[in-house]
Amino acid sequence: MRKNKIIVATVISVAMLGLMFGCGKGDTTTTDTTTTDTTTIEETSTKDTTIENVNKDSTEKDTDDNNTTETEQSVVEKNESETTTNNTHEVSVDTSKIKTDYVVSSGLELKEKSDGTYEITGKGTCTDEIIVISSEMDNKTISVVSEKAFNSEEIKGIVFQDAKDIKVDNRAFYYCDDLSLVQIVNSSVEIDEYNFYDSCDDATVIFYNSTIKTDSHAFDSADIAEVSIIACDMEIGDRTFYFCDNINKFIIDSSNLKIGEYILYDSGDDMELSITNSKVDADSHAFDSCAMKSIYSSKCDLDFDDRVFYYCDKLETVNIDANTLEVGEYCFYTCKNLIEVNLCVNDSTDNTSVKLCEHSFDGCESLETVKIGNGKIEIDDRVFYYCSKLKEVMIESSNVSFGEYVFYECPKDAKVTYGGKT
């Protein structure tokens, strides 16, 4: 992630605060432990922003057929704590409904590789509706699911269970449009690009207690209702859930995630994003143009690069409690329905660190209230640029530094409080 230059905290005077709100020119970085200010905002410079467009990749269709067995669809519900852990965090969502004891499928078409392991090349004589893949199948070690192995098959679920070091080649489940369950549990799996392209039927996707890497476009255009990532180390490649416009829940718990660009571009349906007990590093534009309605986070370390929530114009509320939080440039640019932002307000200690980079809430024209908790708070230049309905910013901490023109073109009567004083 590219980092903005470190703001050097200096003791400010009331006159220097005037520049923070656009009443003058010159460099200023302000820290206050005794006073606060209510701001007026006037400046003569013009607004400058970059708008990027993304075009959907075109792709082609192939065909094939057939399948039959039974299972219960897993739904992850919040808050029934368990003791299951991954490398870093304790699981804090209910995992009791995640089925982990499927019977491994038999009769799949296998082909021996030069190293003595086998690849799955097709459905063979298997009649299961839920295909269950493991490291050992029919007394053979499985290492690969080959390209288009299940292309257009009429299967209702795919489960990787105790599947170690398995590579799923391109388009293996291409156009499997009856899939209602995709689950990876207790496994280490790499999923190549376009694997589930235009597949699924209101599907639940669960990644649990696994190490997973998805390549670009892995679930592009899939009909997915809910994604749960629990107790995983996972690398989500660029555009993994591109154009998945039915997702209403995206849950991340007790996981270490590296998230690529545009993973949910033009996806979601009033989606709720929940991140708990996790470490998340999101590349630029990660959730660009996603139709999400709310963001909730607790007990996390979050590093959001530039433009992560760019043009999420259905987003209404942001509630983030984190140990460390960095919000990149233009991160929430033009989230035009965003009304309320709460950052680290539930931590009464001084241990948190919040950094809002330049223009991070630029153009949030409906934003009214912002609350920020204790700890070290850095607010860079033009963070609330053109937030034309902003009423109040309340910061509990007195360890605050401000850049230039933070509230440019905000209402003149906007009230800013920090360090307990107004």
Side-chain angles (χ1 to χ4, degrees), residues 53-181:
N53 295 316
V54 182
N55 294 321
K56 187 178 181 187
D57 299 34
S58 59
T59 185
E60 305 168 9
K61 174 165 183 169
D62 297 299
T63 19
D64 259 84
D65 280 347
N66 228 329
N67 199 336
T68 37
T69 214
E70 155 205 15
T71 180
E72 111 193 346
Q73 193 162 307
S74 303
V75 178
V76 179
E77 296 172 358
K78 222 165 152 60
N79 219 23
E80 228 180 76
S81 64
E82 298 195 356
T83 57
T84 308
T85 58
N86 79 331
N87 293 337
T88 50
H89 297 105
E90 189 170 288
V91 170
S92 64
V93 297
D94 179 19
T95 59
S96 63
K97 293 184 181 179
I98 300 178
K99 186 174 173 64
T100 60
D101 58 352
Y102 287 97
V103 176
V104 176
S105 293
S106 182
L108 297 177
E109 187 176 296
L110 304 178
K111 180 182 177 181
E112 189 171 8
K113 298 168 81 271
S114 59
D115 62 0
T117 65
Y118 285 77
E119 63 179 310
I120 299 171
T121 58
K123 189 165 167 271
T125 60
C126 181
T127 58
D128 295 345
E129 288 183 341
I130 305 296
I131 300 295
V132 182
I133 295 174
S134 188
S135 294
E136 298 294 323
M137 303 182 72
D138 294 334
N139 298 315
K140 295 177 174 61
T141 300
I142 306 300
S143 61
V144 175
V145 179
S146 68
E147 183 175 350
K148 298 183 182 178
F150 295 91
N151 180 27
S152 300
E153 291 283 6
E154 295 177 0
I155 53 177
K156 294 187 177 180
I158 175 66
V159 174
F160 288 86
Q161 178 178 285
D162 301 315
K164 306 301 182 185
D165 300 321
I166 289 184
K167 174 87 164 5
V168 187
D169 283 344
N170 299 344
R171 297 167 170 82
F173 301 97
Y174 213 47
Y175 292 103
C176 292
D177 52 16
D178 291 329
L179 284 172
S180 60
L181 174 66

Side-chain angles (χ1 to χ4, degrees), residues 7 18 123 155 239 263 309 311 313 336 380 412-413:
I7 300 176
K123 189 165 167 271
I155 53 177
R239 299 168 172 81
I263 68 156
F309 299 100
Y311 287 98
D313 55 15
K336 63 183 181 181
D380 279 1
K412 294 180 181 180
D413 59 350

